[in-house]
Amino acid sequence: MFKGSTYKRCKCTAPKLDAAGEPIIKANGESATRELGAECPDLKRKEHGSWYYYVNLSEFPGTGNRRPRKGGFLTSKAAEKAAQKLWDEASNGIDVDSKETVEQFLLRWHGTRVDLKESVREYHHDFIHRLYIPSFGGMLMRDLRTRHIQAMFKEIWAFNEIKKANRTAAEVAKVEVDEAHRAWKQAPKPRPPHLRERWTVARAALKEAYAKPRQDTGPGRQEKFHQCLSGAMAFAVGEKLITENWCDSVVIPKYEKPDPLVWTPERIARWRETGEVPGPVMVWTPETTGEFLDLAVDHPMYVMWHWMTFRGPRRGEATGLPWTEVDLDQGYANLVATLAVRSSYETYAETPKSKASRRTVTFDSITLTLLAAWRESQKGQRERWELKRAQWKADNPDKDQKYGPFVDSGKVFTMEDGRPWNPKHVSQTFERFLERHDLPPIRLHDLRHCAASLSLIAGLSMKAIQLLLGHASFSLTADTYTSLMPQFDKANADATVAVVPRAQAAPPTSPGGGQPQPGETPEPAPAADPAPRLVLISGASDAEGQGIAA
């Protein structure tokens, strides 16, 4: 049983008296008052005042002589129950009298996470300052509960509705701009001023609409918010600061990782007609991939894009690849470092995503040839840049130097001044290139999916593709790519049918479908095999892999 007591008190006041029993008068002429507390004669009435408790924690190590108090209970039993709960928590090592706020704890917890990658720490810093602190940062950690965290997610969902309305408004504004511009452009000269004014007003409205937040905070992003806070709460439980992880009971939308979809001719036709993209993760067919490479052959990033298309490195692995980890004689590269981007667009070196990401990737013969030619061209890069700097300075002696000094970064894929490409810039350039050439849109990261699908078509096993892409688990690779390309589905369907022996083939259908019409004579069916045949779907010889024939 807890050590302490329960008592009843109220907020009633009475005049404050001096030693002689006379009322004390304040400087402003008013009588000084005091709370009666437990001395109020009306406390005998059931509905008057409220119950309090205090708990003596002096017997627990590290608690000193603290005596936590709390009131507002309707009955003595309710106060006693709360006091007992506090006592039990204290006896289990919980710091029941901590004055640390959620904000103070989260900042302290974030400061201890030196084990995280810099990119992850930056994400957590953003979540803490943009979401958690504004939502419940001022609360005491010991008062935080599931309902407070749930309320934060409800605000996110409500804001998503606002952003949905903003998207609709932006779409309407874009239509008005297009119509206003078309009306002004098609009008005979001299064009009426009111048409120009309409176009100007429409553009201003569109700019205002685009300035408002429009991108949903989807289930995947919400899951990251939840995971970060849950990790912090688990740390607090381990510190005996709270009794349980309050994130465990929080409900958020279920996140399902999207499967890659193929840009089939039918989907491309629909996209060209409506602008609709079937899914967030799209993959080109071999034909579209070839079209892209043919168009990009003269682009400064062509060699890098070619490598990413066929061998699937991540963008940070490609942009961060140093020549010291490339062997052109043996034809391989060791992926042991990556280039990451901060929110400020600044790049920094980082370790690979996981242990499986530290891998050796063999170059295909064409990429190897391209790399060898690029290596020779790169050797004269410094000289060409310095000549360019000198020429600009000679032509503009009174201006500040436009071109900075050459940077010997040692990276494989570099700009004119020797600096490596910014990974985010590579993605943006890739997207602009596709838009300019009217190619079905995919993300730069989706080139990894293209590499996987092409490898499957070529007959590589799932295990080989897992090693190629640097996935941490075989199941991730298999679940993502087993039924990616339509060709595989057809092969699987035919293989299943071929397992069953039939006396005769299915009767042919009429030109309009269905059974033969009167007067039509079905062609004789070929003789069935004397015994059932088992069709095996196999790929490259790999005892651990599960292959699919092209």
Side-chain angles (χ1 to χ4, degrees):
M1 188 66 182
F2 76 93
K3 290 185 178 181
S5 68
T6 60
Y7 55 95
K8 197 177 185 184
R9 62 174 296 155
C10 66
K11 297 292 184 179
C12 295
T13 61
K16 187 181 291 187
L17 305 178
D18 59 16
E22 296 295 328
I24 299 175
I25 306 300
K26 296 188 292 187
N28 60 5
E30 296 179 357
S31 297
T33 60
R34 65 181 181 86
E35 283 191 6
L36 290 177
E39 300 174 6
C40 180
D42 292 333
L43 288 178
K44 295 178 182 179
R45 292 160 43 201
K46 183 178 180 180
E47 71 278 4
H48 191 77
S50 61
W51 286 91
Y52 287 69
Y53 71 72
Y54 87 86
V55 179
N56 184 359
L57 300 179
S58 58
E59 70 176 60
F60 297 115
T63 59
N65 293 319
R66 288 185 294 174
R67 297 187 177 189
R69 300 171 185 268
K70 190 174 183 180
F73 300 97
L74 295 178
T75 64
S76 175
K77 286 187 177 181
E80 185 176 331
K81 184 178 179 180
Q84 186 63 53
K85 182 175 182 294
L86 189 75
W87 177 269
D88 293 341
E89 291 175 356
S91 63
N92 289 327
I94 302 297
D95 187 358
V96 296
D97 202 31
S98 171
K99 298 296 189 293
E100 188 172 33
T101 66
V102 177
E103 177 179 358
Q104 291 169 339
F105 164 74
L106 289 174
L107 295 177
R108 178 169 64 84
W109 167 77
H110 186 257
T112 66
R113 296 308 308 269
V114 294
D115 56 317
L116 298 175
K117 291 181 178 295
E118 185 173 346
S119 56
V120 179
R121 278 179 54 83
E122 191 173 78
Y123 280 131
H124 287 186
H125 180 274
D126 174 58
F127 300 163
I128 289 170
H129 288 83
R130 183 168 54 88
L131 295 173
Y132 310 149
I133 291 178
S135 297
F136 37 71
M139 296 181 61
L140 296 178
M141 271 296 291
R142 57 189 174 91
D143 292 335
L144 183 66
R145 294 294 184 270
T146 296
R147 64 180 180 275
H148 304 120
I149 302 171
Q150 190 71 67
M152 178 190 72
F153 281 101
K154 286 184 178 179
E155 290 181 4
I156 292 173
W157 303 337
F159 193 36
N160 274 346
E161 293 300 315
I162 295 175
K163 289 188 280 190
K164 181 180 179 181
N166 291 343
R167 287 197 301 274
T168 301
E171 291 169 2
V172 172
K174 181 65 168 63
V175 171
E176 172 60 17
V177 166
D178 293 342
E179 291 180 353
H181 180 254
R182 191 180 304 110
W184 178 79
K185 195 76 174 177
Q186 294 176 353
K189 296 182 180 180
R191 297 186 176 102
H194 72 274
L195 293 180
R196 179 73 185 201
E197 178 63 21
R198 177 193 173 189
W199 184 29
T200 302
V201 171
R203 283 187 299 169
L206 180 62
K207 182 178 181 181
E208 182 180 351
Y210 278 169
K212 296 179 181 178
R214 291 170 288 125
Q215 185 174 1
D216 259 359
T217 302
R221 193 68 169 171
Q222 292 180 47
E223 188 174 82
K224 290 183 182 296
F225 298 160
H226 184 270
Q227 288 174 347
C228 172
L229 187 58
S230 181
M233 293 298 105
F235 184 84
V237 171
E239 279 196 330
K240 300 290 186 179
L241 190 58
I242 55 178
T243 56
E244 59 184 285
N245 189 331
W246 304 116
C247 288
D248 289 347
S249 300
V250 171
V251 178
I252 60 174
K254 184 178 180 181
Y255 171 66
E256 295 182 354
K257 189 174 181 181
D259 291 328
L261 298 177
V262 181
W263 273 116
T264 60
E266 295 79 12
R267 287 171 175 162
I268 294 176
R270 179 66 177 171
W271 165 70
R272 295 195 191 282
E273 180 182 347
T274 65
E276 296 176 3
V277 178
V281 181
M282 301 300 298
V283 183
W284 287 328
T285 60
E287 292 75 18
T288 307
T289 303
E291 182 182 357
F292 159 70
L293 292 173
D294 289 341
L295 290 169
V297 71
D298 294 324
H299 195 280
M301 297 182 185
Y302 173 68
V303 179
M304 178 167 49
W305 289 347
H306 189 282
W307 181 38
M308 296 175 75
T309 299
F310 289 101
R311 306 305 288 164
R314 299 176 178 91
R315 70 175 189 180
E317 295 168 344
T319 55
L321 180 67
W323 279 113
T324 53
E325 298 300 327
V326 175
D327 190 325
L328 293 178
D329 294 329
Q330 300 298 321
Y332 66 83
N334 297 314
L335 303 185
V336 295
T338 184
L339 204 60
V341 189
R342 295 189 176 93
S343 56
S344 62
Y345 209 73
E346 179 187 1
T347 61
Y348 62 95
E350 196 169 53
T351 56
K353 185 176 181 179
S354 64
K355 185 176 180 180
S357 297
R358 298 176 64 93
R359 62 197 188 280
T360 298
V361 175
T362 304
F363 295 117
D364 61 273
S365 58
I366 298 179
T367 300
L368 185 60
T369 302
L370 291 171
L371 276 173
W374 164 242
R375 179 60 167 157
E376 291 302 313
S377 174
Q378 199 181 42
K379 290 178 179 179
Q381 197 172 20
R382 180 192 292 269
E383 182 179 352
R384 293 192 298 271
W385 180 257
E386 293 298 346
L387 287 173
K388 190 173 185 177
R389 282 188 82 214
Q391 185 62 48
W392 191 91
K393 186 63 177 175
D395 296 339
N396 304 272
D398 300 328
K399 295 183 180 179
D400 295 334
Q401 181 60 271
K402 179 179 179 181
Y403 302 100
F406 185 84
V407 178
D408 186 9
S409 65
K411 303 298 184 185
V412 173
F413 302 108
T414 58
M415 297 181 285
E416 283 185 285
D417 62 355
R419 291 178 298 158
W421 292 103
N422 185 302
K424 188 174 291 187
H425 175 68
V426 175
S427 294
Q428 294 167 343
T429 302
F430 178 77
E431 291 168 4
R432 287 195 297 267
F433 182 86
L434 301 189
E435 184 177 357
R436 185 164 62 250
H437 293 281
D438 197 32
L439 290 169
I442 65 171
R443 304 169 303 165
L444 180 69
H445 186 77
D446 293 337
L447 288 181
R448 281 171 57 80
H449 302 315
C450 289
S453 64
L454 293 172
S455 298
L456 283 170
I457 294 174
L460 270 68
S461 69
M462 282 291 181
K463 186 64 179 179
I465 295 173
Q466 177 200 352
L467 298 175
L468 173 67
L469 299 182
H471 285 164
S473 68
F474 175 83
S475 61
L476 171 62
T477 310
D479 292 345
T480 304
Y481 300 119
T482 295
S483 56
L484 178 62
M485 300 294 282
Q487 295 93 315
F488 304 153
D489 290 337
K490 183 65 166 59
N492 291 336
D494 289 343
T496 304
V497 172
V499 169
V500 180
R502 299 292 299 277
Q504 63 179 17
T509 61
S510 64
Q515 297 298 320
Q517 299 300 314
E520 295 179 352
T521 303
E523 296 181 5
D529 291 339
R533 292 184 298 121
L534 182 63
V535 179
L536 300 178
I537 304 176
S538 60
S541 57
D542 189 328
E544 301 180 61
Q546 298 178 1
I548 299 180

